[in-house]
Amino acid sequence: MKPVFRSKSANVVDFKKVDVQFIESLIQYVVTIGEAPLRSISDVKFIELEDSDFSILCKTMALVVCSSYYDGKINGAICFAVEYGIPVIWLSTLRPPIDKMFMFDLITDNRNIVWRYLCQIK
Amino acid sequence: MSDKIAIGFANCLGNFILMTSAVKILRKQYSHDKIDMITDSFMWDHNESVQILANIVFDSVKVDHDGSGYDKVFCGTWSQPECLTRLFPRANMSWSRGGSFTGTHEVMTYLNMIGASYDDFEGFVIPDLPHEPFLKRDRKPIVVLANSSHKRGSGRGNITKWDKFQELSYKLSDLGFDTILVGQDEELEGCKGVDFVGKLDILSTIRVISQCDLIVCPDMGLMHVADALGIPIVLLAGPTPITKSGPLVSRYEVVRNFYACAPCFQSQFWGICKDKGCMSSITVDQVLEKVCKFECVEGCLTKGDSVLFKPNFVSLFNRKKTKQELVYDPSEDRIGDLFGAVFLLKKIKKQNPGMRISWRNTKHNVRDNSEWFEDFNIFDWIDLEVENVYDEVPNELWRNVISSRRSFSVWHDLTNLGLSHGWYPKMKRKERPSDLGLPEKYITLHVIQKTKRGERSTSYVERRKMDLDKYDTLCNKLFKEGIHIVRVGHSSDHVRPIQNCIDLSAHDLSLDDSLRAIAGSDLFVGGDTGHKLVASAMDIPCIIEIDDHSRRAGGLGGCDPSIVTAFKLGVSVDILFDKIMEILCRR
């Protein structure tokens, strides 16, 4: 799988590059947006999405969105994951926008439920 | 006085099915009112399937009508309003825009259209199906194949169709699946299977799909039909976005290859693409890999080593949203799944008194060592109101059949209910059995060994195996303290005895007696089997040895953490002994 690097414009922050080859070599990984306060799961790596390159989402086990806001970048990442049939989990005390609710496999503010869910789909 | 309500709609089969989500809610809100459809003559004349369904779903259909005489007229972006220009001057029209391609599902625009929200969604409207069987079922799983047509419906088949169905049909046949071909035109030419292409109207096609186990198709009208029926889907995704029109009811798997331009639906690339690489790059093996992920298919070749490691968990509580009658099939369930499922069904029944819970009565059990369960009657233990017991499940109810190993996960639901609601199943404790020759006070022990006869079970496998020598030592220590240990379970299959315990398991103990023995005990010690769930439900303290795999997979689901202590498999004798003594002293 060839990653797509989007061209940077002046107002795009220089995000830390994700080592795509390293990530692809992992057996299983979960991508998070924001710092997800989850317990570890054996043989599963948690990677925070810091780049606007979403191609790492193609083969992730799940996308966990842990954010207090909902912007274009988050929406883009979620749409991308949904297109590849990746389970998307919303972990926040706030609800996502009502018209985006169908994109989520799980909407909760309970990190234990998310952790259990990830253990089960592993 | 009742309102006259109409929905403006002029689009194809898939959109129609999605739009029925709004009709379903309106029928609830305006139960006494007529709901009509206003459509455009061009779209109406070119969509035979929509004609048939609309005449069933709506009270009447008005073609090229201006909406006069209606109290409310609803219209949304995906209703193709450009075809319904006569409606625009109407002041009483409720108009929903939205529906960009950036993550808003089409169903949401229909819900917005009628002022409903995400929480109101209850699935789609599908006509009542005739009772007569359409397909002859045997033990083989049935897979439906459908391909997009470039002549019918939206006519976008030349963009979204997949060109390897022929090869797929032969491979599926080799792997032991029955294949059924549905749809129109020549898109499935040369495929192996029962060929219904071009021979059935939409109602018959719905009947066929409803009696199958899985559908493999691109994003097309019949995919939404399968979704409305709750039939699992392998979706071949290419130019169309799943965020806009993906399945919402069924379990599904997506096959999509990474293409920078995909999905290009209605973008500048839409319709001008020449190589259609996003679809043509999908290989047969990729599709087969996804097909085999569905354990819901009877006889599927790749049953995982654990029922819980399957994709797209669907909670029983979500599945029941669209059902009036659930038919529980216990044929593959052992003690834990059986009790867990019945606990859940009882909870569902309590929450939804109108829902009917039925039972599939099957003598056939896929597990060889089933004789232990044959005489066991779960209703001696749990009181559940069962509406019907089906020897042969009627065809129209096949899609309502639930099995904890195929269509939902007992342990997933039990775990989540425990975590999110603090709900743990409870049942009345049975009286101490007087006919088993047991001492007045004792603890029960259920040791798991890998056995020849149990090789096909999920419990009696290598990774759950407990150390018999350790339990010899433990029983010796407890015996010296004057504590009686009663070994329960079913171990007639060359499992060696344990010293210093009353070994009922060696005496052809029935399952009922095994559970009765637990009911009379002060403490249950054992491995990850269904017995622990029953013990926990009867408020008997438990000490469990559980392996990491089972623990992660929800093996402790339903077990009340206030009385169940779980140790990692391989815990030392001293720790076990201390914990047992602590619990017994407390009691």
Side-chain angles (χ1 to χ4, degrees), chain B residues 273-450:
Chain B
C273 179
K274 291 225 166 68
D275 70 344
K276 300 170 183 71
C278 57
M279 287 305 289
S280 60
S281 64
I282 294 173
T283 64
V284 171
D285 287 345
Q286 279 180 300
V287 178
L288 286 175
E289 188 188 322
K290 299 289 185 183
V291 168
C292 291
K293 278 194 171 183
F294 283 96
E295 295 180 44
C296 57
V297 182
E298 250 177 359
C300 186
L301 295 169
T302 54
K303 291 226 176 218
D305 60 345
S306 166
V307 294
L308 291 144
F309 288 76
K310 58 189 176 187
N312 289 327
F313 272 107
V314 179
S315 158
L316 179 57
F317 289 82
N318 287 333
R319 286 184 70 85
K320 59 96 181 143
K321 263 188 177 179
T322 56
K323 314 284 184 202
Q324 291 302 310
E325 179 174 0
L326 289 177
V327 184
Y328 173 56
D329 176 358
S331 62
E332 294 183 38
D333 289 350
R334 294 171 68 86
I335 185 67
D337 308 301
L338 184 67
F339 269 93
V342 174
F343 285 136
L344 291 173
L345 289 171
K346 202 173 170 184
K347 185 170 175 62
I348 285 176
K349 179 77 181 166
K350 197 175 174 186
Q351 288 176 350
N352 307 273
M355 172 168 283
R356 300 189 298 279
I357 307 286
S358 298
W359 205 264
R360 185 185 177 198
N361 187 20
T362 170
K363 290 190 176 66
H364 179 82
N365 191 313
V366 294
R367 292 165 190 282
D368 285 343
N369 52 350
S370 62
E371 70 274 15
W372 205 44
F373 304 98
E374 269 177 13
D375 298 328
F376 180 72
N377 184 5
I378 183 83
F379 301 115
D380 289 345
W381 290 81
I382 309 176
D383 181 27
L384 175 71
E385 192 183 324
V386 173
E387 188 81 16
N388 298 304
V389 178
Y390 295 111
D391 287 328
E392 288 292 331
V393 177
N395 270 311
E396 74 277 8
L397 281 178
W398 263 104
R399 66 180 188 276
N400 293 15
V401 174
I402 51 160
S403 157
S404 50
R405 284 175 188 272
R406 284 179 285 146
S407 45
F408 75 102
S409 164
V410 165
W411 306 105
H412 173 76
D413 273 339
L414 288 175
T415 302
N416 283 349
L417 285 169
L419 281 169
S420 57
H421 300 287
W423 180 84
Y424 299 99
K426 293 290 171 199
M427 67 183 191
K428 204 176 163 190
R429 188 169 176 172
K430 285 214 169 190
E431 284 178 14
R432 181 185 297 269
S434 56
D435 54 341
L436 296 176
L438 297 173
E440 194 172 327
K441 281 195 163 295
Y442 61 92
I443 64 176
T444 41
L445 175 67
H446 188 205
V447 183
I448 300 177
Q449 281 296 284
K450 183 185 175 186

Side-chain angles (χ1 to χ4, degrees), chain B residues 454-503:
Chain B
E455 274 168 5
R456 296 184 62 190
S457 149
T458 52
S459 297
Y460 301 89
V461 291
E462 182 69 31
R463 68 177 160 76
R464 293 192 187 184
K465 195 171 77 176
M466 294 160 79
D467 182 358
L468 279 178
D469 293 336
K470 182 169 79 183
Y471 281 90
D472 271 341
T473 314
L474 179 68
C475 287
N476 276 331
K477 285 181 90 169
L478 291 169
F479 184 72
K480 283 177 190 165
E481 297 291 331
I483 297 166
H484 296 289
I485 300 119
V486 175
R487 187 180 178 192
V488 295
H490 186 63
S491 59
S492 55
D493 182 27
H494 65 251
V495 173
R496 79 159 169 81
I498 292 176
Q499 294 170 17
N500 290 321
C501 79
I502 303 163
D503 196 344

Side-chain angles (χ1 to χ4, degrees), chain A residues 6-122:
Chain A
R6 297 173 186 212
S7 58
K8 282 179 198 160
S9 63
N11 58 356
V12 173
V13 184
D14 188 10
F15 290 116
K16 198 174 87 181
K17 278 273 170 284
V18 173
D19 185 343
V20 176
Q21 278 187 340
F22 163 72
I23 289 167
E24 285 180 356
S25 70
L26 296 173
I27 302 167
Q28 300 216 68
Y29 59 95
V30 171
V31 175
T32 66
I33 295 177
E35 203 174 323
L38 297 169
R39 278 178 284 167
S40 58
I41 302 172
S42 60
D43 302 328
V44 174
K45 294 271 181 199
F46 287 86
I47 299 162
E48 199 174 334
L49 188 71
E50 292 179 331
D51 203 308
S52 51
D53 169 23
F54 298 148
S55 57
I56 61 159
L57 290 169
C58 286
K59 292 189 177 172
T60 182
M61 203 174 95
L63 172 65
V64 180
V65 184
C66 189
S67 171
S68 55
Y69 58 93
Y70 194 98
D71 64 4
K73 183 190 164 187
I74 291 176
N75 188 52
I78 294 168
C79 287
F80 193 96
V82 172
E83 290 302 337
Y84 286 84
I86 305 298
V88 182
I89 299 160
W90 178 266
L91 173 58
S92 174
T93 49
L94 301 169
R95 280 187 114 190
I98 192 82
D99 61 336
K100 310 289 181 194
M101 300 276 266
F102 280 118
M103 290 204 289
F104 297 95
D105 291 69
L106 179 63
I107 298 171
T108 181
D109 59 352
N110 186 332
R111 60 191 177 140
N112 288 331
I113 291 177
V114 175
W115 184 81
R116 276 281 178 197
Y117 184 89
L118 293 174
C119 290
Q120 286 165 347
I121 62 172
K122 186 188 152 192

